[in-house]
Amino acid sequence: MCEYCGCQSLASIDELTREHDEVVRLISHLRPAHRDGDVDRMAQVAREIATVLGPHTQVEEHGLFPAMAGGFPEQIAALEAEHRRIEAVLVEAADGGTPPDPPWPDRLLEAMAMLRDHILKEQDGVFPAALANLSTEEWEAVEAERLKAGGALSRPTA
């Protein structure tokens, strides 16, 4: 998505950005499934999105966000609240089945619209701000959190 500030030159931000790109790609499968009334497919895509977001969110909330919270407390709190709202909809499909709640497909589309906006806030706001404000030690803490969290995507080879 964004390449203007150079933040993707950091492995931590590059990986978070690649996960965002994968989530956006997955989200693109939801509207056709919704249009076709294929709630099973929507649930499958929701689980795929959750698989990518699990480690991604851990890195943000236990690595990047704590380092940013001192300078941007309201913004970080808002992003964490959005994580909770998005997760609440995705978890309904987590058991491998199709959520029985008839409004769930519409709630999923709404949550994914929020997620797309959320991604833009991170890529256009948080990531460039982190590049400008975090110390080497804070970046090392973010990378340590990534090592703990793992990731759903393979890392590119150099």
Side-chain angles (χ1 to χ4, degrees):
M1 288 190 180
C2 134
E3 296 176 359
Y4 62 87
C5 71
C7 61
Q8 290 177 353
S9 65
L10 288 166
S12 298
I13 296 299
D14 181 60
E15 192 154 5
L16 291 168
T17 300
R18 288 186 320 105
E19 289 165 342
H20 282 165
D21 292 346
E22 177 62 8
V23 166
V24 169
R25 185 190 72 76
L26 290 167
I27 289 171
S28 74
H29 296 284
L30 290 173
R31 285 222 181 271
H34 186 264
R35 182 186 57 242
D36 296 342
D38 191 348
V39 180
D40 290 336
R41 174 71 178 133
M42 292 181 76
Q44 177 187 349
V45 172
R47 287 187 293 275
E48 292 173 22
I49 291 168
T51 297
V52 175
L53 287 181
H56 177 93
T57 300
Q58 182 177 333
V59 171
E60 288 181 344
E61 292 191 356
H62 298 282
L64 185 61
F65 288 180
M68 297 294 295
F72 307 92
E74 295 86 14
Q75 293 87 344
I76 297 302
L79 291 169
E80 289 176 333
E82 289 174 358
H83 282 176
R84 299 295 81 75
R85 292 197 302 270
I86 292 161
E87 288 167 353
V89 176
L90 291 174
V91 75
E92 293 181 61
D95 66 1
T98 301
D101 188 18
W104 179 80
D106 292 328
R107 285 198 327 274
L108 178 63
L109 289 181
E110 290 169 12
M112 294 304 98
M114 177 192 306
L115 179 54
R116 288 179 65 94
D117 290 341
H118 177 92
I119 287 169
L120 292 174
K121 290 176 201 173
E122 289 180 350
Q123 292 196 181
D124 293 344
V126 175
F127 296 172
L131 180 65
N133 291 289
L134 268 59
S135 68
T136 300
E137 294 78 21
E138 289 168 320
W139 282 117
E140 288 171 355
V142 173
E143 187 57 30
E145 194 58 43
R146 172 56 75 180
L147 291 174
K148 284 196 284 187
L153 306 179
S154 60
R155 287 189 171 194
T157 54

